[in-house]
Amino acid sequence: MFTPLLTSSCYSFHYGTMFPRDLVRQAGRLGYPALALTDRNGVYGIPAFLEACGQEGSREEGPDGRAEPGAAGGMRPILGTELAEGSARALLIARTREGWSRICRILTARSEGGFDLAEAVRAEAETGPCVLGRGAPPDLFIATDDLPLLEAARGKVYALLAPVSGRAGKGERSFRRALMATGSPPLATGEVRFLDSAGREVQRLLAAIGSGRTKAEVREDELAPSGAILAPPAGALRPYEAVPEAVAANEALAESVELRSIFDGFIFPRYAGGGGRGSAALLRSRVYEGVGKRYGSVEDPVRSRVEYELGIIESKGFSDYFLVVRDIVRKTSRTCGRGSAAASVVSYALGITDVDPLAHGLYFERFLNPGRKDPPDIDVDFAWDERDAVLDSVIEDFGRERAARVANHVCFQARSALRETARAYGMPDGEIGAVERALYLDRQRALAEADPVWREILDLAPRIAGFPRHLGVHSGGLIIVPGRLTDTVPVVPSGSGIRVTAWDKEGVEAAGLVKIDLLGNRSLAVVRDVLENLRENGIPLDEERWDPLSDADTVRLLARGDTLGVFYVESPAMRLLQKKTGRGDFEHLVIHSSIIRPAANRYIDEYIDRLKGKPYEPLHPLLDGQLSETYGILCYQEDVSKAAVALAGFTPAEADGIRKVLSKKDVRTRLAAYREQFESGARARGVEEATIAAVWGMIESFAGYSFVKA
């Protein structure tokens, strides 16, 4: 079966015209069993492509809601990139994991400047043939239709035969003869840039936006041929009828590819500061040392909880991870570990967090459970003016080859897509602003009817909404690996020049790369400076005996909503909720800072009524006691997991999968499978339909934006 090899998605920035999921879905409809993604000068879309391939024809999902890449019934993925430099190009396809690593290193070198495509191809060819049938199968396949490159490689790379090159009639035939005269075996690649004929205008628009020109200024030869549309297999083969050996090479190459995924588990370095002791033993020693300081004694229930947590951490191989994070937080005097990590006694004992999870009844399984495969998130806040120095210090400790920041894929949103499309049509900014205001007032139809140019703009702009446009930098994500980071992912400069992974946070996490979040927080700097000011004025504060939770003045201040300048609780909505409830104690403050999320608005009035004494019945006897502290209302992310386990018989890992899906971009699609499982599981336990619907409605209110109690 013929396999399209020269394919680009919207992750070919300002060139590609389709999302990977749409490309894979269309290939599946047409009957292709395998498909390559070879975006131009990057592999930014590989995580999304692999996920789409796993989902195509197989809706079986893992415990985190992500379909397993290459699963039975899915599209067989082939991974690579198209290097383009001027008029020359070379197609690189990984046959093995080593081939993938070579692609990552080449793309990294290209991003650093001084890159020469001919030299890169020549260097790879000198290591051995990059084709089949000339010795042992290569790790990396290379194909090019650049004559000087083919002549330099001396038959060690394929002659790339795209179905259309833009040359008409005799020019096309003579060009192909020249390619094959180089002695390189021909390879039929196909060429897929569009899903439909309208895709070429999308590409023209992207080229204009990317270069700061108007659409009219984009030349035809800057665009892909109009025929570069994904065709049915029979149609894709038609241009190659005269060169059957090129089709045979395509089939042989696709069949020989061993690499199915670059996602192969947990990647993290061994802890180097143990003085020869094993990381598990060292972690245990340091945890018990910290437990003694935090609790004064090591007795039940503290010991039981510590042993339970350490047992899971050790079984998962996460001991090194906790030790590394412990060393990072000790780089400055004042940090705040937050998020789900605060549910861990181990984190508390190591000084990563400062909240006692036993005293506050925090749910450890939200942080880590036996069914979880990936390492847990540990987010740590540093004073805003110290954070960058900490990041630089960690990268220096591990070396630039082993550590880098995480990228953000900055995408076109609906308004920016409209604005940039209008500029590409030459519209002045004043008129664009007026149109945006009109759209805000829902006058789109009248505007489109009145002006055919704006009708075209309004039709075209949504086609690029969601497309990535450039790389940014994640607010604090950092990746550390034991070997070279570029063995797994390219490292490239962001728009601001900071070295980042080519993938965003979801991509690196899916690949098993451990993201440690080191974040900046202005309030920590305020606390630091206030304490220093007190010391300078002879009013030292003994932090060991500091108990702000029971300070009456603080509780009263919070209860009356006088919280401007207080981190997390200073928004108008939060201050109003404080006034309405009249509660300033810590326990209620935690509830309020979570239930205030926008999607939970319809539950807030009921919460206030119950807080003030309104009688209520638990949602279901199986949940009785689970939600008592929040007056029977699902408030925290943990509550979603608890409800799924208690009401529908989910395992902790399955319940954590719902929680993960709720924060994803396409939450509605991913949540559908869990809804079916939840409803059937609850029915099997005798839960009434009305109760199932009410609980699921609360669960859906967590989509996109919610908090973990810890």
Side-chain angles (χ1 to χ4, degrees), residues 279-439:
S279 56
L282 181 61
L283 177 64
R284 177 174 291 272
S285 171
R286 289 184 172 168
V287 166
Y288 273 106
E289 178 185 340
V291 166
K293 293 178 180 177
R294 292 290 199 184
Y295 293 101
S297 64
V298 187
E299 299 175 357
D300 279 340
V302 176
R303 180 181 293 277
S304 297
R305 177 67 171 263
V306 168
E307 288 299 323
Y308 172 67
E309 291 189 18
L310 285 175
I312 294 177
I313 291 168
E314 291 170 8
S315 70
K316 300 292 183 183
F318 297 157
S319 298
D320 300 285
Y321 175 49
F322 280 84
L323 289 167
V324 167
V325 175
R326 173 188 179 271
D327 282 1
I328 291 173
V329 300
R330 292 161 70 89
K331 287 180 176 288
T332 63
S333 60
R334 187 159 303 279
T335 64
C336 177
R338 60 180 173 89
S340 61
S344 166
V345 170
V346 167
S347 297
Y348 183 52
L350 292 174
I352 295 171
T353 60
D354 286 300
V355 172
D356 182 352
L358 297 180
H360 296 286
L362 302 183
Y363 185 56
F364 176 72
E365 285 73 15
R366 164 59 180 86
F367 176 59
L368 189 58
N369 61 71
R372 181 167 182 163
K373 297 178 182 178
D374 56 322
D377 292 332
I378 299 181
D379 298 346
V380 183
D381 281 344
F382 296 81
W384 71 275
D385 52 356
E386 299 179 21
R387 196 281 306 263
D388 287 350
V390 173
L391 282 165
D392 291 344
S393 174
V394 175
I395 292 173
E396 183 179 341
D397 289 346
F398 287 89
R400 284 169 54 89
E401 284 197 344
R402 299 173 60 197
R405 302 280 296 277
V406 176
N408 270 342
H409 291 167
V410 180
C411 300
F412 289 101
Q413 303 302 315
R415 292 188 67 167
S416 61
L418 173 64
R419 197 161 46 246
E420 295 299 331
T421 300
R423 284 174 179 158
Y425 275 79
M427 294 296 182
D429 286 346
E431 185 174 344
I432 295 171
V435 169
E436 285 185 309
R437 290 190 291 275
L439 294 180

Side-chain angles (χ1 to χ4, degrees), residues 480-679:
I480 304 167
V481 297
R484 289 182 298 189
L485 196 50
T486 53
D487 286 344
T488 301
V489 60
V491 178
V492 297
S494 69
S496 58
I498 296 173
R499 295 173 70 254
V500 295
T501 59
W503 301 328
D504 64 4
K505 69 182 185 69
E506 290 189 13
V508 296
E509 288 171 352
L513 297 165
V514 180
K515 177 175 66 69
I516 301 173
D517 278 340
L518 309 180
L519 306 164
N521 185 309
R522 289 187 177 273
S523 291
L524 279 179
V526 172
V527 172
R528 176 201 63 201
D529 294 344
V530 166
L531 292 173
E532 179 59 30
N533 184 267
L534 287 170
R535 281 190 290 272
E536 290 175 355
N537 285 278
I539 315 171
L541 181 65
D542 183 359
E543 293 188 46
E544 296 295 324
R545 304 180 64 171
W546 188 12
D547 184 21
L549 301 191
S550 58
D551 183 77
D553 288 339
T554 299
V555 172
R556 283 193 292 270
L557 178 144
L558 292 165
R560 63 178 182 263
D562 188 12
T563 53
L564 275 175
V566 181
F567 182 61
Y568 244 61
V569 294
E570 64 177 335
S571 71
M574 187 66 190
R575 287 185 282 124
L576 181 60
L577 181 58
Q578 289 299 109
K579 290 177 182 177
K580 284 183 175 181
T581 60
R583 294 294 185 93
D585 58 280
F586 183 69
E587 287 72 18
H588 283 88
L589 194 67
V590 174
I591 296 172
H592 298 171
S593 64
S594 185
I595 205 170
I596 200 68
R597 66 186 192 280
N601 282 343
R602 64 184 183 273
Y603 301 111
I604 290 177
D605 288 341
E606 179 65 18
Y607 163 76
I608 294 171
D609 290 343
R610 293 182 184 186
L611 171 66
K612 294 188 174 181
K614 176 184 174 181
Y616 69 92
E617 292 293 327
L619 287 164
H620 191 274
L622 289 172
L623 294 176
D624 193 16
Q626 298 273 10
L627 305 174
S628 57
E629 70 177 72
T630 54
Y631 304 90
I633 295 172
L634 272 69
C635 181
Y636 308 117
Q637 288 178 2
E638 299 97 318
D639 295 339
V640 171
S641 299
K642 290 177 181 178
V645 171
L647 209 63
F650 277 51
T651 66
E654 290 170 334
D656 196 48
I658 295 185
R659 190 269 312 166
K660 286 186 177 180
V661 162
L662 287 167
S663 65
K664 302 297 183 184
K665 298 170 186 173
D666 52 346
V667 58
R668 300 299 172 190
T669 302
R670 296 177 187 240
L671 205 55
Y674 280 112
R675 177 171 190 165
E676 183 177 336
Q677 181 182 352
F678 180 86
E679 290 177 345

Side-chain angles (χ1 to χ4, degrees), residues 51-85:
E51 183 176 356
C53 286
Q55 291 174 338
E56 179 59 31
S58 173
R59 297 300 166 187
E60 295 180 6
E61 296 183 341
D64 61 354
R66 180 183 291 112
E68 296 296 330
M75 180 72 65
R76 186 159 57 84
I78 295 174
L79 312 180
T81 188
E82 177 194 9
L83 295 177
E85 187 178 275

Side-chain angles (χ1 to χ4, degrees), residues 134-154:
R134 302 191 178 183
D139 293 304
L140 179 66
F141 296 118
I142 298 180
T144 181
D145 56 3
D146 183 74
L147 288 170
L149 285 182
L150 287 171
E151 291 164 359
R154 298 182 299 280

